[in-house]
């Protein structure tokens, strides 16, 4: 039974979502809302969240010793291993439950792993793939801000071409990163028995439903959350939601889910706005847009976005009622 | 001496796996790497046959193995894994984190050369690369000791005054694959000895949520490291206490260091691991010839048995240190530490450094005899590194 906004508002008027005030994330950062949305839903559905976090902005900003912005069980291990760490936690939970040593045996636990795109698309991909393959019951959520933002805006496998970064900068000769953003959703959806979805904080109801689905899914889940970094995307502190909306309307960040190989678009667009609108709305593409080859790169992104959208429509049609297992 | 309940000829790997079966940990992460592989294979078979009911995590890498046991141990589970060489090196980052989070993980290490060029045989370069990681290091001479230490490690690491992870080092192939007679403690006694896990601040206690692994900046990090340093200082008395308890059920007596024919010895050799067995044999031969020789074998290498060595080595004629690892551009690790300890001795013996057995090169009685003979002749040079069994 899907939760509605009224129920959630009532529920959380006097209930904290697990991550509390006092963290030191930048004003306007989308990441804390990604966490809040996920944990709120878990709590609303009667789950007790246990959180693992990869090294990144979210981690360094929320746990500066001796303070912690988390009042749910929380573990940070290293950059590349949050999925392996949470698989250890989840396995310990099963072992302790079976052996009668859980402190709270009657509670429903929900295991979350959060990581940025660096810790997910790149250095953490192996441990994430391994944990999903092993079938641990956990929900992995990547907050995708398209770069290594914690260390100051370096390129990641998620950075789009032409975006200004410090390790693939736009310069006189080169126009920044040449590769298109890695399609992490397809990589994750390629695993067996997994629930995979994209979300955005600008579409909260869609986000909520997908978390509910992940909580109920019998197996691992992977959720990619679009998460603008207002600092390095060079947009206003109040622009994360607007930019996210543009990303969805242009098809740059399509909202869909893949459940055991069955594709479903959850926000159907009659037509896509030009991706140029999304690009021009952000300062991070400014150096590119001043260059002679800007159109080539914008066109390349547009072609990719359009063809992926068409492919998604086709996959939805082709996989209807055909789960892998 | 208690009656021997179960005497079997087994490999060291099987002996260690059998200790793990008796411990029956909550969680074991398994990844193969030569020569550790048979440990997790035997253990996986025990689980498959229902002889242990541990939750296994068949991870995709050693890095994830250590990461998963960190997660499990933080959750309040008794967690183990095993590794060797490049696997240990791949874990390296998380090995430090395990110690820093004060998680009493126990990990047998089948010591092997940390390549390259690639080599799968025994030396100690893998464990030496972790000597400053904050793990307790126990070193076994044979399958019996590897078995005994695996059981003891659980109690040492989990002790209130310690709360540190423990590596049980056993020489790759030589111990892990060599077949020896091992006296096993019966299951009930072993289970009673290791007892129920002593759990501190479990992650899964929802009523008292904790934050593991926060960002620890310059305003607190140093104090946390100091606490680890202090915890290491408690290891020796805890080891002795656990060794005493273990002696009661096994009849086998352990200490920080083993002394072999040292009472009147003028020449003492020091070595870690299986080579100590060959040295004991050589000591016996040389004793028959009238030489006053002996062996000191550190059972505990971290924390380093400095006081114990000072006490025993003070005033001897010569000390010969054998290392199965090199430290490029510096003195070999065991030698360096022994030499440093002897700086404070009232009467310093002559001292010599011998590196041997890298990449599984055999060490022979003649090699050991040669090193002793150098000492008899007064031909030891403190600042010279020599090699045993090397073609030059």
């Amino acid at each position: 039974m899907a939760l509605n906004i009224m129920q959630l508002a009532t529920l959380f008027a006097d209930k904290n979502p697990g991550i509390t005030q006092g963290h030191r994330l930048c004003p306007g950062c989308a990441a804390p809302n990604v966490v809040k949305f996920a944990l709120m839903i878990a709590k609303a559905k009667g789950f007790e969240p246990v959180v693992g976090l990869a090294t990144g902005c979210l981690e360094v900003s929320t746990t500066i010793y001796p303070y912690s912005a988390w009042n749910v069980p929380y573990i940070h291990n290293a950059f590349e291993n949050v999925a392996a760490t949470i698989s250890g936690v989840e396995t310990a939970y099963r072992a302790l439950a079976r052996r009668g040593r859980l402190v709270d045996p009657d509670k429903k636990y929900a295991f979350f792993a959060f990581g940025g795109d660096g810790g997910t698309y790149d250095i953490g991909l192996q441990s994430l793939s391994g944990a999903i393959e092993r079938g641990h019951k956990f929900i992995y959520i990547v907050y995708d801000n398209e770069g290594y933002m914690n260390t100051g805006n370096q390129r990641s496998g998620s950075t789009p071409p032409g975006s200004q970064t410090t390790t693939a900068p736009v310069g006189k000769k080169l126009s920044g990163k040449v590769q298109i953003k890695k399609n992490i959703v397809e990589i994750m959806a390629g695993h067996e028995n997994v629930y995979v979805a994209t979300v955005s904080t600008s579409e909260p109801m869609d986000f909520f439903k997908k978390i509910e689905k992940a909580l109920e899914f019998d197996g691992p889940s992977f959720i990619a959350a679009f998460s603008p970094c207002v600092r390095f995307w060079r947009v206003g502190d109040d622009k994360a939601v607007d930019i996210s909306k543009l990303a969805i309307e242009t098809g740059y960040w399509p909202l869909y889910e893949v459940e055991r190989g069955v594709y479903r678009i959850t926000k159907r667009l009659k037509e896509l706005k030009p991706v140029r609108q999304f690009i021009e709305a952000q300062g991070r593409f400014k150096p590119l847009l001043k260059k002679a080859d800007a159109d080539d790169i914008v066109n390349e992104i547009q072609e990719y976005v359009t063809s992926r959208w068409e492919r998604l429509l086709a996959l939805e049609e082709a996989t209807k009622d055909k789960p892998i297992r | 001496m208690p009656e021997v309940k179960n005497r079997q000829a087994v490999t060291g790997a099987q002996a260690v796996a059998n200790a793990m079966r008796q411990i029956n940990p909550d969680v074991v992460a398994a990844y193969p790497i030569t020569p550790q592989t048979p440990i997790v294979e035997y253990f996986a078979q025990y689980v498959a046959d229902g002889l242990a009911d541990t939750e296994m995590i068949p991870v995709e890498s050693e890095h994830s193995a250590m990461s998963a046991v960190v997660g499990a141990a933080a959750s309040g589970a008794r967690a183990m894994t095993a590794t060797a060489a490049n696997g240990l090196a791949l874990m390296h980052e998380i090995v430090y984190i395990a110690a820093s989070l004060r998680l009493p993980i126990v990990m047998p290490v089948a010591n092997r050369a940390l390549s390259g060029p690639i080599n799968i045989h025994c030396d100690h370069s893998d464990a030496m690369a972790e000597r400053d990681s904050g793990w307790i290091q126990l070193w076994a001479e044979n399958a019996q000791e590897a078995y005994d230490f695996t059981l003891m490690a659980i109690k040492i690491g989990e002790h209130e005054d310690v709360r540190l992870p423990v590596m049980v080092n056993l020489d790759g192939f030589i111990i892990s694959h060599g077949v020896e007679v091992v006296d096993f403690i019966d299951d009930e006694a072993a289970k009673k000895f290791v007892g129920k896990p002593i759990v501190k601040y479990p992650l899964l206690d929802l009523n008292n949520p904790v934050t593991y692994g926060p960002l620890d900046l310059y305003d607190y990090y140093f104090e946390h490291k100091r606490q680890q340093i202090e915890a290491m200082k408690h290891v020796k008395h805890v080891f002795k206490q656990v060794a005493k308890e273990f002696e009661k059920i096994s009849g086998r007596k352990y200490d920080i260091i083993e002394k072999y024919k040292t009472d009147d010895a003028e020449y003492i050799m020091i070595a870690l691991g299986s080579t100590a067995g060959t040295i004991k044999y050589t000591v016996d031969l040389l004793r028959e010839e009238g030489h006053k020789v002996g062996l000191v074998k550190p059972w505990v290498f971290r924390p380093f048995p400095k006081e114990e060595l000072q006490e025993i080595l003070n005033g001897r004629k010569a000390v010969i240190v054998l290392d199965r690892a090199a430290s490029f551009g510096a003195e070999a690790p065991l030698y360096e530490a022994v030499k440093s300890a002897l700086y404070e001795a009232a009467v310093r013996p002559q001292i010599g450094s011998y590196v041997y057995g890298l990449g599984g090169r055999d060490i022979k009685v003649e090699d050991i005899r040669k090193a002793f003979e150098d000492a008899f002749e007064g031909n030891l040079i403190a600042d010279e590194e020599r090699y045993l069994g090397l073609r030059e």
Side-chain angles (χ1 to χ4, degrees):
Chain A
M1 183 71 175
L3 290 154
N4 64 43
I5 288 277
M6 273 306 289
Q7 287 169 317
L8 285 171
T10 316
L11 197 58
F12 284 91
D14 61 357
K15 193 168 188 174
N16 77 70
I19 181 171
T20 70
Q21 71 277 14
H23 64 71
R24 304 184 205 184
L25 283 150
C26 303
C29 174
N33 278 338
V34 171
V35 176
K36 275 183 195 168
F37 283 13
L39 300 189
M40 273 169 69
I41 297 300
K43 286 201 170 187
K45 299 292 282 184
F47 287 91
E48 300 289 343
V50 174
V51 171
L53 195 49
T55 311
C57 312
L58 185 61
E59 169 262 329
V60 298
S61 308
T62 56
T63 66
I64 305 178
Y65 188 88
Y67 305 104
S68 175
W70 300 86
N71 54 16
V72 291
Y74 168 100
I75 184 165
H76 160 251
N77 191 344
F79 187 17
E80 67 282 51
N81 64 353
V82 66
T85 306
I86 210 73
S87 63
V89 173
E90 187 266 352
T91 307
Y93 162 79
R94 282 186 282 115
L96 297 178
R98 186 161 51 76
R99 292 178 170 187
R101 299 217 324 270
L102 267 186
V103 182
D104 302 291
D106 301 327
K107 299 275 174 60
K108 276 201 295 184
Y109 287 68
F111 298 97
F112 286 93
F114 294 95
D117 48 292
T120 306
Y121 284 70
D122 299 338
I123 198 169
L125 185 61
Q126 171 190 303
S127 86
L128 172 57
S129 175
I132 290 182
E133 181 268 325
R134 293 192 299 273
H136 297 279
K137 173 75 183 119
F138 74 116
I139 303 172
Y140 191 105
I141 302 180
V142 52
Y143 63 100
D144 186 354
N145 54 30
E146 304 196 325
Y148 292 95
M149 299 314 186
N150 184 40
T151 39
N153 191 27
Q154 290 84 21
R155 166 211 199 277
S156 86
S158 168
T159 306
S163 163
Q164 177 69 312
T165 65
T166 57
T167 50
V170 176
K172 281 184 186 140
K173 278 191 134 177
L174 302 174
S175 301
K177 186 191 175 201
V178 294
Q179 301 84 0
I180 212 99
K181 184 180 164 100
K182 189 194 281 186
N183 196 331
I184 193 76
V185 181
E186 291 299 309
I187 295 169
M188 290 304 126
H191 293 72
E192 304 294 341
N193 197 37
V194 64
Y195 173 72
V196 174
T198 59
V199 298
S200 161
T201 50
S202 65
E203 292 287 339
M205 293 313 291
D206 178 75
F207 196 143
F208 297 164
K209 271 185 215 157
K210 286 168 177 169
I211 295 290
E212 279 190 64
K213 218 162 179 180
L215 286 163
E216 285 154 13
F217 185 76
D218 181 22
S221 302
F222 175 84
I223 289 172
F226 193 70
S227 187
C229 170
V230 293
R231 169 83 182 82
F232 287 118
W233 290 19
R234 305 284 189 244
V235 296
D237 291 352
D238 57 351
K239 284 287 179 283
V241 168
D242 291 351
I243 293 292
S244 302
K245 278 188 173 157
L246 257 181
I248 292 161
E249 288 161 1
T250 57
Y252 181 83
W253 188 259
L255 291 176
Y256 68 110
E257 61 185 9
V258 191
E259 186 176 351
R260 294 192 177 95
V262 176
Y263 283 70
R264 202 170 73 81
I265 295 167
T266 59
K267 175 105 178 161
R268 197 162 298 278
L269 304 165
K270 283 206 176 94
E271 58 183 316
L272 307 181
K273 285 184 179 173
V275 81
R276 185 174 280 275
Q277 287 184 20
F278 170 73
I279 288 168
E280 286 178 347
Q282 302 164 54
R284 65 172 165 154
F285 292 104
K286 250 189 195 160
L288 171 80
L289 293 171
K290 285 184 193 145
K291 289 189 53 116
D293 63 347
D295 285 351
D296 295 347
I297 292 171
V298 173
N299 289 340
E300 187 197 354
I301 299 174
Q302 182 66 64
E303 274 171 35
Y304 173 72
V305 164
T306 310
S307 57
R308 185 182 51 178
W309 178 255
E310 284 165 3
R311 191 168 176 277
L312 276 176
L313 290 167
L315 280 166
E316 187 182 47
E317 191 55 35
T319 60
K320 207 185 280 176
D321 305 326
K322 289 189 193 69
I324 297 172
R325 60 172 169 136
Chain B
M1 174 104 177
E3 184 192 346
V4 173
K5 301 261 169 137
N6 193 352
R7 173 170 285 194
Q8 277 185 58
V10 292
T11 63
Q14 202 174 350
V16 166
N18 195 39
M20 290 171 71
R21 179 190 62 77
Q22 293 178 324
I23 294 161
N24 198 15
D26 297 308
V27 174
V28 165
Y31 195 76
I33 181 159
T34 305
Q36 173 278 129
T37 309
I39 298 177
V40 291
E41 284 176 340
Y42 278 118
F43 186 72
Q45 191 66 53
Y46 289 140
V47 173
D49 290 339
L51 299 171
D53 67 343
T54 299
E55 291 288 341
M56 297 284 287
I57 315 181
V59 279
E60 85 296 336
S61 73
E62 289 90 349
H63 193 282
S64 286
M66 186 45 63
S67 303
V69 293
V70 161
S75 299
R78 189 174 263 167
M80 298 181 75
T81 184
T83 194
N86 300 53
L88 181 54
L90 185 56
M91 290 177 176
H92 178 71
E93 176 197 20
I94 316 303
V95 164
Y96 271 71
I97 292 172
S100 302
L101 297 182
R102 304 288 299 277
L103 302 173
I105 295 158
V106 171
M107 177 167 71
V109 175
N111 303 109
R112 163 187 153 185
L114 190 50
S115 53
I118 191 163
N119 175 291
I120 57 166
H121 288 280
C122 175
D123 74 30
H124 297 163
S125 47
D126 55 359
M128 287 303 159
E130 305 301 333
R131 75 195 151 140
D132 298 328
S133 62
W135 283 56
I136 297 165
Q137 285 197 3
L138 307 181
W139 285 76
E141 180 185 322
N142 49 39
Q144 183 70 64
E145 292 184 6
Y147 165 77
D148 293 349
F149 285 166
T150 304
L151 293 174
M152 286 167 62
I154 297 282
K155 282 181 85 80
I156 296 164
E158 285 181 6
H159 194 283
E160 185 101 30
D161 296 345
V162 176
R163 309 300 300 173
L164 288 173
V166 190
M167 258 174 228
V168 177
N169 290 283
L170 58 147
D171 282 356
F173 287 109
I174 300 164
I175 302 178
S176 64
H177 288 58
V179 175
E180 295 175 59
V181 171
V182 174
D183 287 335
F184 291 119
I185 293 156
D186 73 42
D187 286 0
E188 276 318 302
K191 276 183 207 309
K192 206 175 150 211
F193 172 73
V194 295
K196 287 219 165 77
I198 302 164
V199 176
K200 294 266 166 191
Y201 313 111
L203 182 71
L204 295 179
D205 179 358
L206 300 169
N207 301 317
N208 302 290
V210 285
T211 294
Y212 267 96
L215 178 66
D216 203 11
L217 297 174
Y218 39 71
D219 44 0
Y220 286 97
Y221 183 83
F222 204 168
E223 282 71 23
H224 290 146
K225 290 297 117 179
R226 174 60 193 263
Q227 289 178 1
Q228 272 178 261
I229 293 167
E230 287 303 305
M232 253 315 174
K233 288 182 184 167
H234 298 152
V235 171
K236 286 184 187 174
H237 82 254
V238 172
F239 180 93
K240 283 170 187 278
Q241 192 181 313
V242 171
K244 237 178 228 166
E245 278 180 58
F246 188 74
E247 190 187 348
K248 280 185 202 150
I249 60 163
S250 67
R252 293 186 288 277
K253 198 179 165 82
Y254 291 106
D255 205 337
I256 309 297
I257 59 171
E258 182 185 11
K259 298 174 235 180
Y260 185 75
K261 301 197 174 172
T262 56
D263 285 355
D264 64 339
E266 293 173 341
Y267 305 91
I268 291 183
M269 192 170 270
I270 303 179
L272 292 165
S274 64
T275 303
T278 319
I279 299 171
K280 284 175 184 169
Y281 177 79
T282 315
V283 162
D284 292 348
L285 291 179
L286 290 169
R287 282 262 167 194
E288 280 172 24
E289 295 168 20
H291 297 288
K292 291 187 173 174
V293 292
L295 164 77
V296 166
K297 178 185 74 181
W299 270 314
V300 182
F301 179 68
R302 278 292 180 276
F304 189 70
K306 183 178 160 182
E307 295 78 23
E308 291 76 6
L309 289 173
Q310 284 173 341
E311 197 183 315
I312 191 154
L313 301 180
N314 182 41
R316 309 281 180 167
K317 270 195 185 159
V319 174
I320 307 142
V321 186
L322 263 56
D323 273 276
R324 202 161 195 156
S327 179
F328 306 100
E331 291 169 342
L334 182 60
Y335 178 70
E336 184 184 59
V338 172
K339 188 178 172 188
S340 161
L342 285 175
Y343 180 81
E344 295 157 23
V347 183
R348 280 188 219 156
Q350 274 208 326
I351 183 163
S353 171
Y354 291 82
V355 170
Y356 74 98
L358 301 190
R361 174 70 50 88
D362 240 2
I363 175 130
K364 299 184 172 114
V365 174
E366 303 89 82
D367 300 321
I368 294 161
R369 179 187 277 273
K370 169 78 181 65
F372 269 121
E373 278 167 0
D374 284 353
F376 302 155
E377 290 159 16
N379 175 24
L380 293 181
I381 299 168
D383 196 28
E384 185 177 297
E385 185 169 283
R386 294 174 186 168
Y387 307 94
L388 298 176
L390 176 73
R391 293 189 299 274
E392 301 222 51

